Amino acid sequence: MQNHKENAGSESKAEIEALTPEEPQQKVTEEFDDILDIIGSQGRFQKFLLYVVVCPITAIQPFLTLNAIFMLFTPEHWCHVPGRDNYTDIETWKIRTIPLDPTRLQDAHGHPKYSQCTMYGESGEPEACKWGWEFDKTDYLSTLPGDFAWVCDNSAIPTNAFTASAIGNAVGTIVFGHFADKYGRKPIFFLTITINIVFRIVSLLHPANVEFFYLCQFILGTAFPVMFIAPSMIAAEICDKEYRAWVYACTWMIWVIGMCGLPLVAWLCSDWYLIGLSTSVPAIAVYIYLWYLPESPRWLLSIGKHEQASKILYKIAETNNKSEDTSEAELNSMLRKLVAKQNRKKESKNIGVWTLFSRARLARNTVLLTISWSMNVVVYYGITLNTTNMPGNQFVNFFLLSIIELPSGWAGGVLADKLGRRWTQVIFFLACMMSCVGATFVIHLITLELIAVVLAKFAITLTFLVVYLQGAEIFPTQLRSTGSGFASTIGAVAGIFAPIIAQLSVHHLSYPYWIMGMLCFIGLFVSAFLPETLNQNLPETIDDANKFGKGVKFWSVFPRPRSKSITSTISALRTPRRSTAGQGEYALDPPIIVQPD
C-alpha cells in the first residue's frame, strides 16, 4: 500500500512537471533586488540610461523651471520726463527732474539713489510718474516688468507670479505625485514636460493679461516636482543600492551644471521673449527619449503588472549580457510570487500619515523635522530669488550661487559622516544665519554682500542635505516614505513665502536677509532637539521610532565608528516605496542633495 502511494505520488509529480514545462527551476528571490542581481544591477543598460538619457533630460530642466527669474527681473528705473533731448548727460537730467529717495540705500560708490516712482512736478514738488518710466539697459534690452510697467503701484506682479508658481509646486507635489503612483512614472513625466513647454510658450504670447499670466505660472509650478524626480527615479529603481546613490549624486551635479548655464543663455538673449523661447523650445528634444526611457519595472510590479515588468527586465538582462542566466518566463514566474507576497503585506498594513502622530516621541520628531525641512526650503529659495535684488551683475551672482552647491554637497556628505547629522545641521544653520545677518551690514558693498550671500547659500545647501538624511533615518521603515513625503509637502507649502520674503527688498534691501536669518535661527533651534542618527540602528517599527533618542543627553556626541555611510543612507531614502499617504516618493522635495530639493 505504501509503495502504491509513493508510485502514485511520483506519477502525480511527473504529470505536473509535464503539464508545466515552461516553468523553469526557480531561483531564490525574496525581494525585487534579488532579481536585479540576476539580470545585472550596474550593467551597460543602467549606465546608458543614466548618462545618455537621464543626464541630458536633467540638464535641460533648470532652463525650463528657473528662466522666470531672469524674465521677471526688474531693472533700475525712473520716471520718464519729456524734454531730455536737450541734455546728453542722463545724470544731469535726473538731477533736474528726479528727486532723491531717502528710503533707498546708497549705491556701492556712495552716491544717493534716485526715486523710482516720483518726479518733480511743475510746482517743484515730487509727484507720481505721469509719462511712464525709463529703464536701465545695461544688462537687459527688455524684461517683463520693463515692457509692461510692472513697477511702483504694480511692483507686486512679479512677486505674485513667483508665488503662484510656488503654490503650484505644493499642489503638484501631491496631485502629480499621486498620478505617478497610479498611472506610472514615464507617462506622467512626459505629461509634465509637455505642460512646461506648452504653458511657458503660451505665457509669452499675452503677458499683459496678468491673471492669465498668473494661471500659467501656477500650472508650470504644478509640473515641476514630478518632472524633476521621475527620470532619475526610473533609473534608480533598476539599480542596486550602491549604484542608486550614484544615480542621484550624478543627476544632482548635472542639475547644478544646468543652473550654471542658464545665466549665460539669459545674458546672450538679453530679452525676456527670447529668454523664454530659447529655454523652452529646445526642450522638445526630450521627446526623443520617449523610445529610450522605460517604465519602471518596480512600479509595474507594485501594481501587479508582472508580465510587462518581465519584458523590461529581460531586455535589461539582454543588454547586460545576462540573458543566459534567466528567461522571460522565469522572470515572469518570479515576479508573480513577489506580487503575491506584496499583496499579503498590503492586507496586513493599516498605517498612514496619521500614524506619525500616534506616539508622543514620534510625533515630536515628526514636527521638529517638518519645521527644519520647511526652514530649509524657504531660505534656499529665498536666497535664490533674492539674486534679482542684489547689487552687481545678476548673471554672475546667479552663477556663483549655483556653482557653490557642488562643494557644498561634497562637504555635507563628509561632515554628516564625521560630526553627525544633528550637529552638522545646527552648525551650518548657524553659519547661514550669521551670513544673512552679516549681509545686512554690507548691502552697499557689492563684493562683501556677494561673499556673505554665497556663504549663506553654501550653508543652506549643506543643511538641506542633512535634513534629507534625517528624513531617511528618523522615521521607521514602515513610514519612511510617508514621513519624508509629509515633511516635503509641508515644506513645499512653506516655500510659498519665499517670493514674498524676496519682495520685501522694495522697502529695504536688508529685510530679506533679516527674515532669512531669523528662519535659520528657528531651524537651528528645532534641529538641536532632533535625535542623532549617525551610527545608530535605524528604527524598523513604530515602537522603535517612538523610543529613538530616548535617554540621550542634549550635549552628547556619538562615537565615531562607521556603521552606515552617507551613500547607503541616500540609497535608503530613495529606495522606492509606495506611500500610504498616496504621495509615494514624489512627495520628496527636488533637488538639493542628489538632485537637484
Side-chain angles (χ1 to χ4, degrees):
M1 179 69 70
Q2 184 176 357
N3 292 336
H4 176 72
K5 288 182 178 179
E6 289 177 354
N7 293 335
S10 299
E11 291 173 1
S12 176
K13 182 177 180 181
E15 289 175 359
I16 293 173
E17 290 177 350
L19 290 172
T20 57
E22 75 280 359
E23 291 287 348
Q25 184 176 359
Q26 293 295 302
K27 298 180 176 67
V28 178
T29 52
E30 297 292 331
E31 301 292 341
F32 185 83
D33 286 346
D34 296 331
I35 298 178
L36 291 180
D37 290 338
I38 297 172
I39 66 173
S41 56
Q42 295 188 30
R44 187 186 305 169
F45 187 95
Q46 284 85 356
K47 290 179 172 60
F48 176 86
L49 183 62
L50 175 61
Y51 298 122
V52 181
V53 180
V54 175
C55 282
I57 288 175
T58 304
I60 288 174
Q61 293 189 19
F63 294 88
L64 277 172
T65 57
L66 300 177
N67 52 14
I69 292 177
F70 298 93
M71 295 166 60
L72 289 169
F73 175 70
T74 304
E76 183 71 20
H77 53 279
W78 55 91
C79 294
H80 171 71
V81 181
R84 188 192 155 196
D85 295 341
N86 299 326
Y87 295 85
T88 57
D89 182 9
I90 182 63
E91 193 66 26
T92 303
W93 184 246
K94 283 185 179 180
I95 292 174
R96 292 177 58 88
T97 59
I98 309 296
L100 297 177
D101 187 348
T103 65
R104 302 187 69 206
L105 298 183
Q106 292 182 338
D107 62 23
H109 304 288
H111 299 150
K113 288 191 174 183
Y114 294 98
S115 172
Q116 294 181 317
C117 301
T118 59
M119 53 178 275
Y120 287 124
E122 295 179 0
S123 63
E125 295 296 323
E127 61 180 37
C129 301
K130 290 197 244 183
W131 296 284
W133 291 264
E134 295 184 32
F135 293 85
D136 188 342
K137 304 287 187 180
T138 302
D139 294 328
Y140 294 90
L141 294 176
S142 67
T143 64
L144 281 167
D147 281 10
F148 297 98
W150 292 348
V151 294
C152 298
D153 292 341
N154 295 320
S155 62
I157 292 178
T159 301
N160 293 341
F162 285 121
T163 303
S165 179
I167 295 173
N169 283 175
V171 173
T173 298
I174 300 171
V175 175
F176 282 110
H178 173 69
F179 287 168
D181 270 351
K182 186 174 182 180
Y183 302 110
R185 286 82 163 99
K186 181 178 177 178
I188 298 305
F189 165 70
F190 282 102
L191 173 61
T192 55
I193 201 81
T194 301
I195 289 173
N196 266 275
I197 295 172
V198 171
F199 280 90
R200 173 56 69 202
I201 295 174
V202 168
S203 71
L204 302 177
L205 301 179
H206 193 50
N209 187 331
V210 176
E211 289 75 17
F212 180 72
F213 187 75
Y214 289 162
L215 178 62
C216 289
Q217 298 308 305
F218 170 80
I219 295 174
L220 287 165
T222 63
F224 168 64
V226 173
M227 182 187 73
F228 173 79
I229 197 65
S232 53
M233 180 61 66
I234 292 173
E237 288 180 339
I238 57 172
C239 302
D240 59 24
K241 61 178 65 176
E242 289 79 15
Y243 199 73
R244 196 174 300 143
W246 170 243
V247 167
Y248 283 100
C250 183
T251 52
W252 163 63
M253 289 186 286
I254 293 297
W255 167 269
V256 173
I257 291 172
M259 286 179 65
C260 294
L262 175 58
L264 175 61
V265 172
W267 175 72
L268 291 173
C269 293
S270 190
D271 176 274
W272 65 267
Y273 189 77
L274 292 179
I275 293 173
L277 285 181
S278 62
T279 55
S280 302
V281 174
I284 295 175
V286 170
Y287 292 104
I288 295 173
Y289 295 109
L290 192 62
W291 290 272
Y292 297 98
L293 184 69
E295 182 53 271
S296 167
R298 197 185 292 260
W299 173 78
L300 290 170
L301 177 66
S302 72
I303 62 170
K305 295 185 177 181
H306 51 82
E307 292 182 357
Q308 295 180 35
S310 63
K311 291 179 181 179
I312 296 174
L313 292 173
Y314 188 69
K315 182 180 179 181
I316 295 174
E318 287 183 318
T319 307
N320 291 342
N321 296 322
K322 293 282 189 177
S323 57
E324 295 180 357
D325 298 337
T326 186
S327 66
E328 188 173 332
E330 184 179 14
L331 288 170
N332 193 20
S333 178
M334 289 186 286
L335 291 173
R336 280 205 309 268
K337 291 188 176 182
L338 291 181
V339 169
K341 181 180 177 181
Q342 80 179 10
N343 287 338
R344 289 194 297 269
K345 286 184 177 180
K346 287 180 181 178
E347 290 174 0
S348 61
K349 187 185 296 184
N350 186 25
I351 59 175
V353 173
W354 57 87
T355 314
L356 296 170
F357 302 94
S358 62
R359 311 289 176 86
R361 184 173 293 275
L362 176 59
R364 189 198 72 167
N365 289 341
T366 299
V367 171
L368 293 176
L369 183 71
T370 301
I371 294 174
S372 177
W373 200 304
S374 299
M375 297 304 102
N376 273 286
V377 171
V378 177
V379 175
Y380 177 87
Y381 288 110
I383 290 174
T384 301
L385 294 176
N386 198 53
T387 55
T388 59
N389 302 317
M390 293 172 57
N393 188 292
Q394 185 201 6
F395 308 111
V396 174
N397 293 344
F398 190 92
F399 172 81
L400 292 175
L401 290 176
S402 299
I403 198 68
I404 195 64
E405 292 191 29
L406 289 177
S408 177
W410 175 84
V414 172
L415 293 173
D417 268 356
K418 295 291 184 182
L419 299 178
R421 291 29 167 164
R422 182 165 70 113
W423 291 115
T424 300
Q425 179 92 312
V426 169
I427 290 171
F428 282 92
F429 258 132
L430 176 63
C432 186
M433 181 186 74
M434 294 176 64
S435 298
C436 288
V437 172
T440 65
F441 296 101
V442 292
I443 50 178
H444 60 289
L445 302 174
I446 297 176
T447 303
L448 291 180
E449 181 184 355
L450 181 59
I451 291 173
V453 176
V454 168
L455 291 176
K457 184 69 176 295
F458 178 92
I460 199 63
T461 302
L462 196 150
T463 60
F464 225 144
L465 165 66
V466 177
V467 81
Y468 264 85
L469 296 176
Q470 289 174 317
E473 296 172 334
I474 286 177
F475 296 115
T477 301
Q478 296 169 289
L479 290 167
R480 193 155 292 140
S481 179
T482 301
S484 296
F486 173 78
S488 178
T489 301
I490 299 301
V493 174
I496 295 171
F497 295 97
I500 299 173
I501 292 172
Q503 169 68 9
L504 293 176
S505 63
V506 300
H507 302 289
H508 198 288
L509 292 174
S510 66
Y511 287 174
Y513 296 127
W514 281 116
I515 293 178
M516 288 188 289
M518 289 187 288
L519 295 178
C520 286
F521 176 78
I522 295 173
L524 179 159
F525 180 79
V526 299
S527 298
F529 290 94
L530 284 168
E532 178 57 72
T533 57
L534 178 64
N535 298 327
Q536 306 303 301
N537 293 326
L538 299 188
E540 296 292 341
T541 67
I542 296 172
D543 287 337
D544 291 341
N546 195 50
K547 297 174 184 176
F548 199 69
K550 185 177 181 179
V552 177
K553 295 181 179 179
F554 178 81
W555 294 107
S556 64
V557 178
F558 285 94
R560 295 291 189 269
R562 296 171 61 87
S563 64
K564 192 172 187 68
S565 69
I566 187 173
T567 54
S568 63
T569 301
I570 293 177
S571 298
L573 172 62
R574 294 298 187 174
T575 298
R577 292 185 177 89
R578 298 279 296 174
S579 170
T580 56
Q583 299 166 11
E585 55 280 335
Y586 293 97
L588 297 178
D589 203 271
I592 307 301
I593 320 166
V594 286
Q595 65 281 21
D597 301 114

